[in-house]
Amino acid sequence: MTVRTVTQRLALASLLLAGTSAAHAAMDKPVKTKDGLVQGTPGKIDGITAFKGIPFGAAPVGDLRWKAPQPVKAWSGVRDASKYGKVCIQPPGGNRINPATDMPDSPGMSEDCLYLNLWTGAKAAGEKRPVMVWLYGGAYNEGGGSSPFSEGDALAKKGVVLVTLNYRNGALGFFSHPELSKESGKNASGNYALMDSIAALKWIKANIAQFGGDPNNVTVFGESAGSCMSAALAGSPLAKGLIHRAISESGQWMGLGIAKMMPREKAEEATVAAADKLGIKTLAELRAMPAQELFSKFRGQGMIVDGWVIPQDLSITFAKGAQNAVDILVGSNGDEGSFTAAFGPPMTLANWKDGADKRWGTLAAEGLAAYPANTEEEAKAVSSVPFSDMLSWGMRFYADRQAKIGKNSWFYHFTHRPPYDPGKPNLLSAHTAEIPYVFDNLAAPRTFPGASSVSLMAGNPTEEAFADQISSYWVNFARTGNPNGAGLPEWPMVTKLAQDEAMILDAGKSGKGKNPALTPVKYAFYKKMYDRDVGIH
């Protein structure tokens, strides 16, 4: 980066931290969508227009609870698109901040929540800018398209149209029931959040050209649960033609581990059993429950094989090469499991060795060989590493599967360890740690668990330069299917990487290198785990 570029980015960071904006909107007149006119508002960066709270589906309330999104009722006049729509029902952060609900200007929660937001630097329709669509993480249980960390000004400034959206969470978004399957006409129920995402993608297909976006160049990207959903869309026949590229940050269709997907029948049984305990016998009773009460009394089941959105276990789909022919960029972070140390009793050497059977079952001996510990300190240090490494194995597995069908496939291992505020737990390159860099948005509040320091990062030349690098990779990939570009360290395709290599992403040190998560011993261990627990080839 030049001195001038650093100076400009420091000024931008100061502006964002101050929460002020002297920007003007490039699109200052109402834009026509298929449902009506919308009026945007200036973004936080000069020349960017933000459109917020645009409905992409009718309110999923009453009889529309647990149905695919229905068409929006057209409106007359000009709809104000300067404020976010309410996020979907979810728990507040409690003893931590949930950026979707707990900020001073959070939009509130409602079951009426199917809204999207977009940021564009286009001055007129038809500019054909690449489109990036963000799917938030949050264990399928929380999050929203209005979270400050995912605001799209910086990515829009780099030339994309950035879209965020709300999808239904928890038991309102992932819920199977025999009556729901029967009424669907598809003998399917469960993946309503994925249906929300697909409805938003259909809205983009129909409308994004009016905002300067290219409906034939759409990239979905997400982290954690959103990463899993991105991978599922890459495999779902219902997303064919709606997405052209996919980015998955720390999660694929199996989740954050290695497992078969839950079948709809098992999910239905769990719902019926939970309802029986509450004395609830019918779907009508479930639909009559207040949304907050239902959310608190029933657990969402996450993505399942519903027979429609996901017709079969996606491990079968990807093994057959029957997934959507999209380019992918996937990977995970070096210290994904660092936050798990806060849960449960402190790890001891005895617990590490004695718990091997419970941890790995028939592969206990192989697990201890891959993760040896001979002292109390070694046991403590190694205890969170398998979570990180298994996730990296799954991301490499996904990358290899997509490469086999001839698509551009890129694999990374994010090892940069951002600064943390004094007195706060240092979670290193934690789960979610890459998000501020991806959005080039170091001044925004963080999302759980990667609580790196805003004050030590925003305006820090090293951190700002790295954010510019990472966001440029992501934008380049969205534009062309190749993350490489002028001034960036070369990123080789996954087909050019050895089994124990990755594109290492680290400030000042990015490049092809050894992936410590996938040494030969570890790779073989997780391959055996896949063969045992999934066994689909």
Side-chain angles (χ1 to χ4, degrees), residues 3-197:
V3 173
R4 181 182 178 185
T5 302
V6 171
T7 301
Q8 290 172 336
R9 293 174 63 77
L10 291 177
L12 172 59
S14 298
L15 179 66
L16 294 177
L17 277 170
T20 61
S21 176
H24 75 277
M27 285 189 168
D28 55 3
K29 295 180 180 179
V31 175
K32 185 179 181 180
T33 74
K34 64 183 179 63
D35 301 310
L37 294 166
V38 293
Q39 177 66 61
T41 188
K44 291 182 177 178
I45 297 178
D46 193 51
I48 302 302
T49 312
F51 295 83
K52 303 175 180 179
I54 302 176
F56 65 87
V61 300
D63 290 343
L64 297 185
R65 180 184 285 177
W66 300 310
K67 284 191 176 181
Q70 299 300 300
V72 173
K73 184 178 179 180
W75 58 85
S76 59
V78 179
R79 183 184 180 98
D80 177 18
S82 65
K83 297 180 179 178
Y84 292 115
K86 291 186 177 181
V87 299
C88 298
I89 301 295
Q90 59 193 282
N95 61 355
R96 60 175 176 81
I97 293 176
N98 177 349
T101 61
D102 300 341
M103 306 305 295
D105 57 351
S106 292
M109 287 186 287
S110 173
E111 197 172 1
D112 176 5
C113 62
L114 299 185
Y115 299 96
L116 59 76
N117 321 289
L118 67 89
W119 290 259
T120 181
K123 296 179 180 179
E127 292 189 13
K128 293 189 175 181
R129 297 180 177 222
V131 181
M132 297 181 72
V133 185
W134 172 250
L135 302 173
Y136 52 81
Y140 302 124
N141 206 50
E142 65 180 59
S146 57
S147 295
F149 66 82
S150 62
E151 289 184 331
D153 300 86
L155 293 184
K157 192 68 174 178
K158 287 177 179 280
V160 304
V161 178
L162 192 284
V163 180
T164 67
L165 62 112
N166 298 335
Y167 61 78
R168 285 170 279 183
N169 303 304
L172 292 166
F174 301 91
F175 192 82
S176 291
H177 190 280
E179 288 188 65
L180 285 171
S181 298
K182 183 177 180 180
E183 75 171 24
S184 72
K186 309 291 185 184
N187 194 30
S189 63
N191 291 317
Y192 300 100
L194 278 172
M195 296 180 201
D196 295 342
S197 304

Side-chain angles (χ1 to χ4, degrees), residues 333-469:
N333 300 346
D335 302 292
E336 293 275 1
S338 60
F339 74 99
T340 62
F343 303 101
M347 180 58 67
T348 65
L349 180 60
N351 288 344
W352 181 248
K353 292 186 174 181
D354 295 344
D357 287 336
K358 184 176 181 181
R359 198 177 299 119
W360 295 307
T362 58
L363 295 175
E366 288 90 338
L368 289 175
Y371 300 98
N374 296 303
T375 67
E376 298 291 336
E377 284 303 311
E378 287 177 349
K380 183 178 179 181
V382 80
S383 62
S384 65
V385 178
F387 180 99
S388 308
D389 294 352
M390 181 166 53
L391 190 44
S392 186
W393 188 93
M395 304 314 293
R396 177 62 190 254
F397 182 75
Y398 179 16
D400 288 340
R401 284 290 200 233
Q402 207 68 2
K404 283 186 178 179
I405 65 169
K407 299 307 295 181
N408 293 341
S409 181
W410 313 86
F411 174 63
Y412 72 85
H413 195 59
F414 183 97
T415 60
H416 180 64
R417 293 178 169 180
Y420 289 78
D421 290 323
K424 299 289 186 180
N426 188 335
L427 299 181
L428 310 174
S429 53
H431 193 59
T432 76
E434 84 289 355
I435 292 177
Y437 303 96
V438 167
F439 280 92
D440 199 0
N441 196 359
L442 303 185
R446 307 297 188 245
T447 186
F448 179 82
S452 54
S453 172
V454 172
S455 62
L456 295 176
M457 290 167 64
N460 178 318
T462 298
E463 297 296 314
E464 293 285 356
F466 187 54
D468 182 54
Q469 180 187 107

